[in-house]
Amino acid sequence: MGEPLNVGVVGAGNISGAYLNTLGALPDLRVVAVSDRDRRRALAAVETMPGSRSVTLDELLADEEIDVVLNLTTPGAHAEVALAALAVGKHVYGEKPLAANPADAAAVVEAGNRARLRVGCAPDTVLGTGVQTARRTIEDGLIGTPTSATATMVGFGHERWHPDPEFYYLPGGGPLLDMGPYYLSALVHLLGPVRSVAGFGGRPRPLRTIATGPRAGTAFETSVDTHVTGILEHENGALTTLIMSFDVAASKASHIEVHGSAGSLVVPDPNRFDGDCEMWNPGSGGWRVLPPSAGYVGARRGFGLAEMARAIREGRPHRASADLAYHVLDCSYTLLEAADRRTTLDVRSRCEVPPLVPLNEHGFGPAPSQ
């Protein structure tokens, strides 16, 4: 198995608990330090991780024991923290998006390549049985040649549940950049990279009010589009219709559906690791639920970092890669630009589609076969 990678966590906000709950149980990783601008949050986090300590960001970056920085800061700080970690010889794995804009994201990718260090990025939900089973179904030809897809993420806004939601409505946020990475990453796994986009966007409710927590009743303005719809043309010719919104009270639409020349597939929520895939084809006798056939069983947030740690040890590419994250970000910004200009635009970047994850019932017990 080898020694685990020592992890320094930067950012102890809302999402950190989901990561820390997982990382403490993974043999490939050891959390040794946590840093946050609010030291009280860092101290609370280290209490859940025996053997870790609360440090400043400068102390974390200077600590030669730390192999990889887990970057859980808000989007506006993603690039700054990642670049600082790479500059001192540490691998980086970050929350999505890779950076607040493509230029900063490209700088992170370039810095990682130049230093020969790994850069990984969420979402890792695509490594679970939900998306991976859907991918295996498509690759096995059970719905024929993929021709189209729909992807729908709608809600009424994060201010309904998050105590400090303003950053979701600043540049680098909005439904497309916040939730879109789950859907776009899944679509790349299922249908391949995107070559062109068209779209529209709007801000039906520019003033938001926090509903929960100590700041309940506080109003703030949005500075990004909160309803975005678009068309993605994949390199294989398939067309995806995409709707991302913080302005829809309720919907019964599937999260993702993929349609092919011989059948259709309902893909579970890409913001989850598991869930039922449902398929219809002429021989299926109607819609039927497919048993898991690929992916990590019982995966949770942090599996992407663990998979990167194992890939480092095995000398192979990791699946939650910076190239994939950059392509997803590039697609998102190109779509927003196309919506602003009311036109169709080519997506400049491309990425390799990560290898399928074989069905692995033991998570990060035995190493998965490649």
Side-chain angles (χ1 to χ4, degrees):
M1 177 68 70
E3 287 295 313
L5 287 187
N6 290 325
V7 180
V9 180
V10 181
N14 203 56
I15 193 62
S16 65
Y19 276 91
L20 295 177
N21 287 340
T22 303
L23 300 187
L26 294 177
D28 298 271
L29 302 166
R30 179 194 298 121
V31 176
V32 299
V34 180
S35 173
D36 192 277
R37 288 179 298 180
D38 184 343
R39 192 158 186 266
R40 293 171 299 178
R41 297 200 304 191
L43 289 169
V46 300
E47 287 183 2
T48 69
M49 303 298 296
S52 65
R53 58 194 182 277
S54 170
V55 297
T56 67
L57 178 57
D58 287 342
E59 289 170 339
L60 188 149
L61 293 173
D63 190 339
E64 295 183 359
E65 180 188 20
I66 294 173
D67 302 302
V68 57
V69 169
L70 174 58
N71 184 4
L72 303 181
T73 57
T74 54
H78 284 182
E80 179 183 359
V81 171
L83 291 170
L86 293 167
V88 294
K90 302 185 190 305
H91 305 291
V92 174
Y93 185 93
E95 251 304 312
K96 47 74 190 169
L98 183 59
N101 59 70
D104 286 347
V108 172
V109 174
E110 181 182 354
N113 290 339
R114 186 170 57 247
R116 298 186 178 180
L117 293 167
R118 300 295 183 105
V119 179
C121 187
D124 52 5
T125 48
V126 292
L127 305 181
T129 55
V131 170
Q132 292 295 312
T133 294
R135 177 173 169 179
R136 165 142 269 167
T137 302
I138 294 170
E139 292 185 359
D140 286 349
L142 297 180
I143 65 167
T145 301
T147 57
S148 65
T150 58
T152 305
M153 191 299 301
V154 295
F156 219 49
H158 290 356
E159 70 277 9
R160 299 179 74 184
W161 58 270
H162 199 290
D164 297 294
E166 286 94 335
F167 72 91
Y168 288 110
Y169 298 89
L170 296 174
L176 185 59
L177 294 176
D178 175 48
M179 297 301 294
Y182 298 105
Y183 290 75
L184 290 168
S185 297
L187 289 164
V188 170
H189 272 262
L190 299 172
L191 299 174
V194 177
R195 67 184 174 197
S196 64
V197 296
F200 290 88
R203 305 176 193 180
R205 295 186 299 130
L207 188 67
R208 305 277 171 150
T209 302
I210 300 173
T212 62
R215 300 176 62 226
T218 302
F220 63 94
E221 293 185 356
T222 67
S223 57
V224 295
D225 285 345
T226 54
H227 186 102
V228 179
T229 185
I231 304 294
L232 317 177
E233 181 190 26
H234 296 265
E235 281 198 324
N236 65 1
L239 300 176
T240 292
T241 302
L242 181 78
I243 299 175
M244 298 279 123
S245 182
F246 288 163
D247 290 294
V248 176
S251 173
K252 296 176 71 174
S254 301
H255 295 283
I256 297 177
E257 294 185 4
V258 180
H259 307 288
S261 58
S264 294
L265 183 67
V266 174
V267 183
D269 185 353
N271 191 21
R272 294 179 52 195
F273 289 88
D274 54 12
D276 290 337
C277 290
E278 297 182 67
M279 183 190 71
W280 183 96
N281 65 21
S284 65
W287 288 98
R288 67 183 179 92
V289 174
L290 301 173
S293 60
Y296 291 111
V297 176
R300 304 182 301 278
R301 272 177 175 54
F303 266 51
L305 175 55
E307 199 272 343
M308 187 175 87
R310 185 157 291 178
I312 291 170
R313 186 163 54 248
E314 296 174 355
R316 60 172 174 81
H318 56 284
R319 288 181 168 90
S321 71
D323 287 342
L324 173 58
Y326 179 78
H327 180 63
V328 165
L329 186 67
D330 188 22
C331 288
S332 299
Y333 267 89
T334 306
L335 176 54
L336 291 173
E337 183 182 354
D340 185 58
R341 294 170 54 183
R342 296 177 178 266
T343 189
T344 300
L345 295 174
D346 291 336
V347 177
R348 295 182 179 180
S349 66
R350 294 294 184 273
C351 67
E352 294 292 327
V353 179
L356 181 79
V357 178
L359 185 64
N360 190 307
E361 298 181 357
H362 303 288
F364 279 90
S369 58
Q370 297 304 308

